Amino acid sequence: MTTPHSLLRALLLTLLLTAALTPAAGKARRGLAVVIDPVSRQQAAAELQAYIQALEEVQRFKVYTVVDRWGVPDSIRRELIRLHQLKRNPIVGVVLIGDIPVAMVRDAQHLCSAFKMSQEQPWRESSVPTDRFYDDFGLQYEFLKRDSTAPYFYYSLKAEGNQQIRPALFSGRIRPTDAGGTSRYGKLRAYLAKAAEAKRRPEPVKAVFVFTGSGSLSESKRAHIDELYAMREHFPSLAGSTGAYSYMDYSDEPYIKQRLMNEMMRPDLSIGLMHHHGDAGTQYLSSYPKPSDAREAKEYLLHCYGERLRRAHRYKERIDSVKEVLCRRDGIPAGWLDPMTEHELDLQDSAADSRMNLTLPDFARWGYRPNCRLAIYDACYNGSFHRDDCIANEYIFQPGKTIAGIGATVNVLQDKWPDRYLGLMAQGMMAGYLNMYNIDLETHVIGDPTFAFAPEPGSIDINGLLATAKPNDWLRLLETNPHPDVQAMAIGQLKDSRLLSDARLEGLLRRSASAQVRLQAFVTLRDRNGAGLADVIRIAASDNFELTQRFAVNALTKCGDPQLIPTLAQLLTAPNTSARVAFNAMQAVQFFPEGELIAAVNRCIDDRAPYVVAPDSYRKQLLEEISKYAGRWTGSIGQLCRGELSPRKASAQAGFMKIYLPPWMAGQVAAYTEQCGDTALQRQLLQALGWHRLAYRHADIRETARRMSGNPCLPGEVRREALKTWKRIK
């Protein structure tokens, strides 16, 4: 029951919070840059003015309107740097509105979560569209060329700048297009009015929703159970609210699309987190049932491979190979897929897509009007703002209440932390900060990055702290604030500070009651990459939170320290390891010496034998599976380091080693890189070595790269690549 005393206390808290957030007259304010092209400014003048007034009057920003009269990314970037360096009211964020040029970055795939396309492919596909160009001033670029038809500007990441992402600003894109027969300026006017209204009438977080599509995280039930548990940590104040935590799996219904759309249109839905595969115009939701006739077989082909094939250049060759795979794997009669013509492949929407997946035409076809205020797309390409249209754009430019989304312009890693700091949204954190502190080269806020929910009672001024707080302020919050996400953010802000020791972090990893805090402590220790990394991985690998276990196994793979072989053996032989952890553990097998690993696995099986039914068959089945992966790369890497591969095969092997380099072989590869004498191969090998910062032999890589970067006898392009690698490893 609400009492007069509790109402008075809530009112006092609100008044105190308002006073804390409202600057006194003449007091310095946080600056914000609004960058807009001249035509959009003219076409949406009234709505732009209302949006800026809401930024200034409600969120208390000092707004700098930057009209892009240059049409060149470098000029905009220089102006943002100038505004960020102002002594009074410097900017902390930027909103890019309208037709702002797109930076397409090359030679920077190590800053992506998963994108590793050969740069010999067409530049539009093999470059990364990214607004890190506008918000991270530590990265340096060399201009290459302008696209002949699109507003794309191609840049190479230079060795002289940083090789890690550390944005100075938060950022977001509001880029309507004429897709769907509606004027971009009509869309912009409606959106800016909606965004301004959301500031004038802010809502608290009321309900959160999680969806998992087919193939997400190896369809691990444990991973999804733990994620829903995490929502209760993020939003503890919702525990007593009916329907506040909502979950849906693709397998709940044969055709889940309409049910997902209905949930995302809930008028009270605040945040939606969707895990699935994706493309620019598709949310891949469901798996297609095994076809029973020729018509369904063609639909199945398009469902599984359609987008990939449509982007391919040699259609017939790719179609034939995919047909063969499908027929062999699923027992489909070959005649069912003949003839499969290029005309059929060019269909933008197949019957399979219309039933199984959510595509761009569905917004108009079904009258889909999402109301989820913040949508997070844990999917490839859904945030491709640079294209004529994309999923994330459709969500915000509909008449529904969706204001912002977070999505990627290229493909993304599945094993990431998509809900990191999510609970701070209930404390009024702006969406731009949610992305800024959990960021990759490809991930962006689509929509207004200043969007924020009304803070719940008792909240801290998180936006003010992120702009101005000192390390001691964060240390006090870590010690005194009970909210797990506040503690996690405090750890994140202290990751480079001596105030937070490795020993303190290890204590939090071992003993914190919060899964979010334990995971943040582990990630921080992993990134510090100290001498005790193997011990930290061992602790995290037995954590009760599935995502912490999963991150630990991935770190174990990258580290490769022989001390971790018993830990890996324990994971491989445990009878109830979660599906995604088990999958990643089996992948790790190929990164350890085969003999030592199999011996450790046999010892674990011996220990478990009294507690396992049919232990002999259990041993046989497990060892057969391990044998498929063990020693997979030893022979080919050995041949490379002995100079026995042809130039073509050596180049291919260098590409594989961005991921597939056993850490115990890193020293051999580094030595060969320094003495091989092939300029092109040296560059490729240095690129590959730079991916292995966590390898327990990383010192070999670092020292080799340092020597090569300063060796005047080497070509300049090799020295620059070596400098990049040294900066990534150090």
Side-chain angles (χ1 to χ4, degrees), residues 293-295 297-298 323 327 331-340 344:
D293 57 31
R295 178 186 59 81
K298 291 180 179 180
K323 285 181 189 177
C327 292
I332 298 172
W336 284 4
L337 294 176
D338 292 326
M340 184 68 185
E344 289 176 291

Side-chain angles (χ1 to χ4, degrees), residues 197-213:
E197 177 69 8
K199 297 183 190 305
R200 298 288 185 186
R201 300 178 183 274
E203 302 174 339
V205 172
K206 298 176 182 177
V208 294
F209 167 59
V210 177
F211 172 81
T212 57

Side-chain angles (χ1 to χ4, degrees), residues 1-15 457:
M1 177 181 293
T2 302
T3 66
H5 176 71
S6 63
L7 286 173
L8 178 61
R9 183 172 59 183
L11 178 61
L12 287 171
L13 283 170
T14 302
L15 291 172

Side-chain angles (χ1 to χ4, degrees), residues 446-464:
I446 309 299
D448 179 11
T450 66
F451 168 71
F453 294 98
E456 60 189 16
S459 297
I460 60 173
D461 176 14
I462 183 63
N463 298 307

